[in-house]
């Protein structure tokens, strides 16, 4: 039976396991919409194409499987690009589809004309126009293969007359379109790793996203080497917070004991991480980096040995080669300091800390305490990232998704919608700053429309909080006129959209409000009015930076008095 090029595309997406396509239908996408209507794939109509790209990225980040989004001709496609950087920067396989005018109209400055392949070139590993039905099967295969092979974005431009035409053949070799397998490190590298480990006394193991699925092996290696396990933010959810080996994060979303461990060790193992903040990584002593992406080896800090391989098989090979260590003095030193740091975090998130002010740490901790054991947390970018990242105490079964490398504000709700669409019975929690939520709050309508029971918690301090800190870090007083803003009534907004809304303004209300919200069977917005001037913990602050904060605060006080 013959089918259109659009039908061929949708058929192969169905075969590779795509369950949803996110987008907005326009005239150039009508053939795609018709093909989806006759498939088992669910169409999720978003309110903004950036939300479609974010939803596809969220799915791909969580599962490693292909996410799909689309936008129609011109502006519909340009709206996709910002959201696609989430998949690009976090190395998640996404296929983006752009509608395009019929071929006979191209090159004539026609209505909504866009050079789509040029537009998508920076964000895509592969971008191509399907220019004829005969070309379509091979190009479709190539695009999906590129997204999986490079773990990033592939993009196809779809002229309306081509995708509506009868297809000439079907996509072959569909079984080759799948996630990249794990790769084993070479024997020589394993032997050299073992030699260096055997010679070292104080070892720290840093775990990134490449360690997902290797928790058992990491525990075994930690026990054998008496080495503390630390993590990047992207690797936080690999183990439960209370695992005695899991000492905490590094950097701003991290702890002082972990920073001390990194600076005092004589061998630092970086496993499955391309952590970009070099100032938190050791500059002295030996560094061994293991990653299945050869291009990232050695680029963040001076590295003695770079090993190209996946973490899990590499550790398995290593465990039988390294000698067990008996001296736990360094491990115990870090453990003791971790306990003291945790006690400080407990005090900062204690609801009894203030009678009338809700501190943002308390919001994160209460959400963490009351969330389902297999919940997915989707964290937005901004000061709220520090509250959520440092005070969530993950169960080991929960997942944590964020704008880890792109660092884009306003991305949490869109990603949460995509993740929720995969399983409407799983608890999906978006933790947002008010500035970020305001950017794409229209995607709450998407959640309501498609019965995606996302729970969206808003840290409401009526300001871009992180911008304040960034200004003060260089000694500049925060410009309140550009940073502060009024917020809508989030409870009324949620109800007007067809969801439910809750509000917590005092500590005594917080846990009850969170509990009710999490039990709601529909999308919910929870307005958490938090203390506006709360400062995060700084695990590592240079003396000059501390002085800049002090200068900025003095200047802000003077401006408040003078009205300047």
């Amino acid at each position: 039976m013959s089918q259109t090029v659009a039908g061929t595309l949708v058929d192969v997406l169905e075969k590779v396991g795509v369950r949803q396509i996110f987008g907005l239908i326009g005239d150039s996408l009508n053939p795609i919409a018709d093909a989806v209507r006759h498939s088992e794939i669910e169409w999720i109509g978003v309110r903004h194409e950036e939300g479609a790209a974010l939803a596809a990225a969220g799915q791909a980040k969580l599962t490693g499987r292909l996410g799909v989004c689309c936008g129609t001709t011109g502006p519909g496609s340009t709206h996709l690009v910002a959201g696609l950087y989430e998949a690009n920067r976090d190395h998640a396989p996404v296929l983006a589809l752009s509608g395009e005018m019929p071929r006979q109209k191209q090159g004539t400055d026609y209505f909504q004309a866009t050079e789509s392949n040029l537009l998508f070139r920076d964000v895509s590993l592969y971008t191509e126009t399907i220019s004829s039905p005969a070309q379509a099967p091979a190009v479709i295969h190539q695009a999906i293969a590129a997204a999986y092979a490079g773990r990033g974005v592939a993009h196809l431009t779809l002229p309306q007359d081509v995708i509506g035409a009868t297809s000439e053949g079907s996509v072959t070799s569909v079984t080759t379109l799948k996630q990249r397998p794990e790769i084993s490190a070479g024997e020589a590298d394993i032997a050299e790793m073992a030699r260096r480990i055997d010679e070292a006394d104080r070892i720290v193991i840093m775990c990134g996203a490449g360690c997902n699925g290797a928790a058992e092996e990491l525990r075994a290696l930690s026990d054998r080497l008496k080495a503390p396990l630390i993590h990047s933010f992207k690797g936080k959810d690999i183990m439960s917070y209370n695992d005695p080996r899991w000492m905490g994060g590094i950097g701003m979303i991290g702890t002082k004991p972990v920073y001390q461990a990194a600076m005092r060790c004589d061998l630092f193992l970086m496993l499955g991480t391309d952590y970009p903040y070099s100032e938190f990584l050791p500059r002295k002593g030996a560094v061994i980096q293991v990653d299945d992406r050869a291009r990232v080896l050695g680029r963040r800090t001076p590295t003695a040995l770079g090993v190209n391989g996946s973490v899990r098989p590499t550790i398995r090979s290593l465990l039988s080669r390294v000698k067990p260590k008996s001296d736990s003095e360094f491990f115990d030193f870090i453990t003791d300091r971790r306990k003291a740091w945790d006690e400080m975090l407990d005090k900062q998130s204690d609801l009894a800390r203030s009678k009338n002010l809700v501190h943002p740490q308390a919001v994160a901790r209460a959400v963490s305490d009351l969330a389902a054991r297999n919940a997915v947390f989707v964290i937005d970018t901004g000061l709220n990232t520090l509250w959520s990242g440092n005070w969530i105490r993950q169960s080991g079964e929960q997942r944590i998704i964020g704008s880890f490398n792109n660092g884009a504000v306003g991305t949490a709700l869109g990603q949460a919608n995509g993740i929720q669409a995969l399983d409407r019975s799983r608890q999906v929690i978006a933790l947002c700053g008010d500035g970020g939520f305001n950017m794409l709050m229209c995607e709450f309508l998407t959640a309501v429309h498609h019965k995606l029971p996302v729970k969206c918690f808003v840290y409401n301090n009526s300001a871009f909080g992180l911008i304040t800190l960034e200004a003060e870090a260089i000694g500049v007083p925060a410009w309140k006129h550009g940073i502060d803003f009024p917020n809508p009534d989030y409870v009324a907004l949620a109800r007007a959209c067809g969801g439910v809304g809750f509000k917590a303004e005092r500590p005594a209300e917080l846990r009850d409000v969170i509990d009710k919200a999490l039990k709601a069977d529909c999308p919910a917005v929870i307005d958490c009015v938090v203390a506006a001037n709360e400062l995060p913990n700084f695990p590592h602050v240079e003396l000059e930076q501390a002085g800049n904060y002090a200068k900025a605060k003095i200047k802000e006080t003077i401006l408040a008095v003078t009205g300047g």
Side-chain angles (χ1 to χ4, degrees):
M1 180 179 172
S2 64
Q3 59 180 346
T4 63
V5 171
T8 297
L9 173 57
V10 170
D11 179 62
V12 74
L13 294 178
E14 195 169 6
K15 287 177 179 175
V16 300
V18 171
R19 293 170 52 188
Q20 286 92 18
I21 295 177
F22 301 88
L24 275 170
I25 293 176
D27 54 354
S28 62
L29 287 179
N30 281 329
I32 291 287
D34 189 58
V36 172
R37 178 166 50 191
H38 292 93
S39 75
E40 295 299 317
I41 295 176
E42 180 183 11
W43 176 267
I44 303 286
V46 298
R47 294 307 179 273
H48 192 287
E49 288 90 349
E50 184 177 350
L54 292 171
Q59 287 193 346
K61 288 185 194 184
L62 183 75
T63 66
R65 299 194 301 270
L66 189 72
V68 182
C69 59
C70 56
T72 190
T73 308
S77 295
T78 61
H79 288 166
L80 284 177
V81 173
L84 287 172
Y85 276 99
E86 280 306 304
N88 171 286
R89 301 289 289 119
D90 273 348
H91 316 296
V94 165
L95 178 65
L97 306 174
S98 285
E100 182 59 287
M101 68 190 73
R103 287 171 295 178
Q104 67 268 28
K105 302 293 186 181
Q106 294 176 18
T108 63
D109 196 23
Y110 193 68
F111 178 65
Q112 294 187 328
T114 306
E115 291 289 344
S116 295
N117 291 330
L118 181 62
L119 172 68
F120 284 86
R121 187 172 295 165
D122 183 55
V123 78
S124 303
L125 297 164
Y126 176 90
T127 179
E128 188 60 70
T129 298
I130 299 182
S131 56
S132 73
Q135 178 204 26
V139 171
I140 291 168
H141 185 282
Q142 187 67 29
I144 298 172
Y148 270 132
R151 288 192 296 222
V153 177
H155 166 254
L156 292 175
T157 301
L158 311 173
Q160 186 176 4
D161 58 323
V162 175
I163 60 170
T166 301
S167 178
E168 297 182 20
S170 59
V171 177
T172 59
S173 307
V174 175
T175 57
T176 65
L177 303 175
K178 57 187 178 182
Q179 295 168 254
R180 278 169 32 185
E182 292 183 329
I183 59 173
S184 298
E187 285 295 314
D189 281 338
I190 296 292
E192 180 62 11
M193 283 183 69
R195 184 188 71 78
R196 290 175 178 270
I197 288 171
D198 287 343
E199 291 178 354
D201 293 321
R202 299 184 304 278
I203 300 171
V204 170
I205 303 170
M206 181 177 177
C207 309
C211 294
N212 269 304
E216 182 180 342
E217 289 80 6
L218 290 170
R219 291 189 189 98
L221 187 63
S222 172
D223 291 343
R224 193 166 185 81
L225 304 181
K226 300 294 185 288
L229 299 175
I230 70 173
H231 59 78
S232 66
F233 185 28
K234 206 172 178 182
K236 176 179 171 71
D237 59 6
I238 294 168
M239 289 188 200
S240 65
Y241 181 90
N242 59 8
D243 188 298
R245 310 165 189 83
W246 205 235
M247 298 297 181
I250 195 167
M252 284 292 289
I253 306 173
T255 75
K256 189 172 182 178
V258 162
Y259 178 73
Q260 292 172 328
M263 295 301 115
R264 297 186 186 194
C265 69
D266 51 31
L267 181 61
F268 192 75
L269 299 182
M270 293 178 65
L271 304 181
T273 179
D274 183 36
Y275 184 76
Y277 303 106
S278 300
E279 64 270 26
F280 294 102
L281 299 176
R283 310 297 293 181
K284 301 177 182 178
V287 174
I288 297 175
Q289 185 178 5
V290 178
D291 207 290
D292 62 3
R293 302 162 294 171
R295 69 183 182 278
V296 311
L297 297 175
R299 70 179 178 182
R300 301 305 183 189
T301 194
T303 301
L305 178 64
V307 177
N308 186 206
S310 302
V311 171
R312 182 163 50 183
T314 300
I315 297 178
R316 286 177 177 172
S317 297
L318 188 63
L319 280 168
S320 62
R321 307 285 187 90
V322 293
K323 298 173 183 177
K325 298 185 183 296
S326 57
D327 186 353
S328 64
E329 181 180 356
F330 181 63
F331 184 93
D332 295 339
F333 171 83
I334 302 303
T335 297
D336 289 343
R337 277 149 185 78
R338 178 220 173 150
K339 290 177 181 176
W341 187 269
D342 283 351
E343 289 172 0
M344 179 189 69
L345 297 184
D346 288 342
K347 291 177 181 177
Q348 291 175 339
S349 63
D350 190 347
L351 288 171
R353 179 180 163 195
S354 175
K355 184 177 180 181
N356 294 315
L357 285 178
V358 175
H359 294 278
Q361 302 96 323
V363 175
R365 181 64 187 275
V367 172
S368 175
D369 289 347
L370 295 170
R373 284 195 62 80
N374 69 337
V376 180
F377 298 103
V378 188
I379 299 175
D380 217 322
T381 300
L383 193 54
N384 61 90
T385 315
L386 305 184
W387 308 132
S388 301
N390 283 318
W391 273 269
I392 286 176
R393 296 194 163 183
Q394 72 280 358
S395 69
E397 300 172 42
Q398 294 163 335
R399 293 297 309 276
I400 298 173
I401 303 296
S403 186
F404 295 114
N405 293 311
N406 192 32
V409 180
T411 59
L413 179 54
Q415 292 188 79
N417 281 343
I419 291 167
Q420 188 73 84
L422 291 170
D423 183 355
R424 285 170 170 83
S425 66
R426 188 173 187 178
Q427 196 176 81
V428 179
I429 297 169
L431 291 149
C432 309
D434 45 6
F437 180 74
N438 292 349
M439 285 185 179
L440 279 173
M441 65 172 71
C442 58
E443 289 310 301
F444 188 73
L445 281 167
T446 299
V448 172
H449 176 190
H450 295 281
K451 297 181 172 55
L452 305 173
V454 171
K455 306 299 181 289
C456 192
F457 289 84
V458 180
Y459 294 93
N460 183 352
N461 63 358
S462 298
F464 289 113
L466 189 59
I467 306 302
T468 299
L469 288 181
E470 289 172 340
E472 292 172 346
I474 61 171
V476 175
W479 190 37
K480 297 297 184 181
H481 177 73
I483 294 171
D484 294 354
F485 48 77
N487 278 321
D489 182 336
Y490 289 122
V491 174
L493 173 74
R495 292 173 180 169
C497 292
V500 294
F502 302 88
K503 187 171 187 175
E505 295 181 276
R506 295 178 177 79
E509 304 167 342
L510 186 62
R511 288 183 69 91
D512 184 55
V513 162
I514 292 172
D515 185 55
K516 289 178 179 177
L518 292 176
K519 289 177 179 176
D521 60 359
C522 63
V525 177
I526 305 90
D527 180 1
C528 302
V529 181
V530 297
N533 297 316
E534 192 82 12
L535 282 175
N537 300 317
F538 296 104
H540 168 59
V541 177
E542 298 289 352
L543 187 60
E544 179 183 0
Q545 193 177 41
N548 287 339
Y549 281 116
K551 291 176 186 176
K553 287 298 183 185
I554 293 170
K555 292 174 183 176
E556 287 168 11
T557 301
I558 294 171
L559 289 172
V561 173
T562 62

